[in-house]
Amino acid sequence: MQKKIFVKNLINNQPTKDISLDDIKNKIFRVTSKKKITVKVSKDIVFSSNTLPIIAGPNGVESRELIFKVAIFLKKLGVKILRGHAYKPLTFPYRSKKYAETMSNGMDWVDEVKKYTGMKIVTEVTEIKHLDRINQTADILQIGSRNMQNLELLKEMAKTKKPIILKRHFGASLRDMLGASEHILVEGNEKLILCERGVSTPHTHRDTSRFMLDLQAIVALKELVKFPVISDPSHASFWAPWVPSLAFASIASGCDGLIIETHPDPKNSAVDPLQPLNFKEFKKLFIRAKKLGKFFNKKII
Ligand code: PEP
Ligand code: MN
């Protein structure tokens, strides 16, 4: 129904800055098709039905000890999907000594954690050469914002038939994002989850906030697309105190899932120490999100 209104306005030749009727008809017809898609990770973990999964965990798999600690905390709380990122592209090539990518070692620890807790795992894939190893462990593959239009990578990931989280690049339009989505769908993988993670804007109102969560993108995507749309307020705001409010606003905007960074000792997180919630803050967010979810008929898991 909402898509109809969107399309009708295009037919009326109202000015359209971004997505045209031609795009919907000929270029992004798979991702904007009417068919309602739910992405099922397991029997009880489904995106875009009446459940709203929260994907939580540290920025990266820094050590075996860290990933166990976080997973045990989250599991106890009832969170079902863990961030298990052992491959981390950084904006700048210089890594602190404290943090090198843990790569296949990190994936081995994630494997152990997965067996121990039964949690499902999301891992970012940065290069085709790492895909096989990641695919052995991860239940959901993630395309980071920086790789949104790495089409060869998208194609190879699609072939695994695993659910794929596609993050929007912070400078990309929804048109570009839906074009990238179409590349995944054309490979025959319909387990697509779109993720809003903030955009570059002239002002973010804090010098520590690199990006601004584009809530309007969530609403616009929900209007056009029947695939699940999730939100990552941690990467968007870059600032832990803002994360709960932006998470609740995302739920109210119709998102089907959230990515929330959590770390037992945020200030000592190897990457982006301003953005993870500590355990106490995460627990509070989780409890409040569950209450809000009820209002929107979404079970937060
Ligand atoms: C991440 O999820 O860890 C990540 C790197 O996010 P983004 O690509 O959105 O910066
Ligand atoms: Mn990150």
Side-chain angles (χ1 to χ4, degrees):
M1 199 61 195
Q2 280 171 320
K3 184 183 161 195
K4 235 184 186 164
I5 296 166
F6 194 103
V7 170
K8 188 166 170 278
N9 289 337
L10 298 179
I11 292 168
N12 288 344
N13 279 333
Q14 295 195 1
T16 56
K17 182 165 71 67
D18 288 318
I19 296 166
S20 70
L21 188 59
D22 174 60
D23 291 339
I24 293 177
K25 275 191 179 155
N26 301 312
K27 300 192 176 91
I28 49 172
F29 56 89
R30 286 189 162 82
V31 74
T32 60
S33 85
K34 279 200 210 82
K35 201 167 81 182
K36 170 97 182 145
I37 304 279
T38 59
V39 176
K40 196 170 169 179
V41 182
S42 67
K43 204 164 71 349
D44 54 344
I45 309 175
V46 186
F47 288 86
S48 195
S49 59
N50 41 9
T51 54
L52 190 159
I54 296 188
I55 299 163
N59 189 289
V61 181
E62 296 173 30
S63 66
R64 185 178 181 276
E65 189 198 350
L66 174 83
I67 200 68
F68 262 92
K69 201 170 184 175
V70 177
I72 290 166
F73 161 74
L74 291 171
K75 166 82 181 180
K76 220 170 117 194
L77 215 54
V79 174
K80 297 187 184 325
I81 313 180
L82 179 69
R83 279 176 60 96
H85 297 255
Y87 303 81
K88 298 291 311 169
L90 299 180
T91 302
F92 304 105
Y94 315 109
R95 288 176 187 270
S96 69
K97 283 207 186 69
K98 203 166 94 181
Y99 184 56
E101 289 172 293
T102 51
M103 298 184 148
S104 62
N105 287 335
M107 292 315 292
D108 292 346
W109 303 327
V110 171
D111 242 345
E112 287 182 53
V113 158
K114 183 176 167 173
K115 286 188 186 109
Y116 187 75
T117 60
M119 292 179 83
K120 299 293 176 188
I121 308 295
V122 177
T123 303
E124 176 170 352
V125 185
T126 52
E127 292 186 66
I128 292 174
K129 70 179 181 205
H130 302 313
L131 181 57
D132 275 348
R133 175 63 195 92
I134 294 169
N135 195 30
Q136 285 167 31
T137 301
D139 302 281
I140 302 173
L141 306 176
Q142 178 173 306
I143 296 268
S145 52
R146 288 157 189 81
N147 273 312
M148 187 195 84
Q149 286 181 314
N150 186 340
L151 304 177
E152 284 307 310
L153 182 59
L154 261 52
K155 209 155 90 180
E156 291 307 309
M157 285 167 67
K159 286 180 190 159
T160 65
K161 304 289 182 216
K162 290 260 171 86
I164 296 178
I165 294 175
L166 177 69
K167 286 189 144 192
R168 177 159 69 117
H169 186 271
F170 33 87
S173 63
L174 294 189
R175 185 173 188 261
D176 290 338
M177 185 197 209
L178 296 181
S181 304
E182 203 78 6
H183 280 274
I184 294 171
L185 300 178
V186 108
E187 290 300 323
N189 187 341
E190 289 209 321
K191 294 180 195 146
L192 172 69
I193 299 165
L194 301 166
C195 180
E196 164 55 30
R197 52 77 72 212
V199 288
S200 297
T201 57
H203 303 288
T204 54
H205 323 306
R206 268 195 71 88
D207 56 3
T208 53
S209 290
R210 288 166 71 195
F211 307 104
M212 181 178 280
L213 184 66
D214 186 357
L215 286 172
Q216 197 162 310
I218 301 173
V219 180
L221 285 171
K222 292 299 294 181
E223 188 176 52
L224 257 187
V225 167
K226 295 290 175 273
F227 290 85
V229 176
I230 67 172
S231 169
D232 179 347
S234 300
H235 281 83
S237 70
F238 213 61
W239 179 237
W242 288 0
V243 167
S245 302
L246 295 173
F248 304 144
S250 298
I251 296 172
S253 301
C255 80
D256 305 295
L258 287 163
I259 297 178
I260 307 287
E261 263 191 35
T262 181
H263 191 286
D265 181 14
K267 66 179 182 311
N268 283 312
S269 170
V271 182
D272 301 341
L274 300 179
Q275 81 191 22
L277 301 184
N278 65 30
F279 286 178
K280 199 171 151 208
E281 290 160 346
F282 182 86
K283 186 175 175 186
K284 189 172 168 201
L285 176 147
F286 195 62
I287 292 167
R288 293 178 71 196
K290 273 180 175 292
K291 287 188 188 156
L292 184 63
K294 274 194 190 132
F295 182 80
F296 290 102
N297 286 328
K298 288 262 194 183
K299 187 175 174 221
I300 310 284
I301 55 170

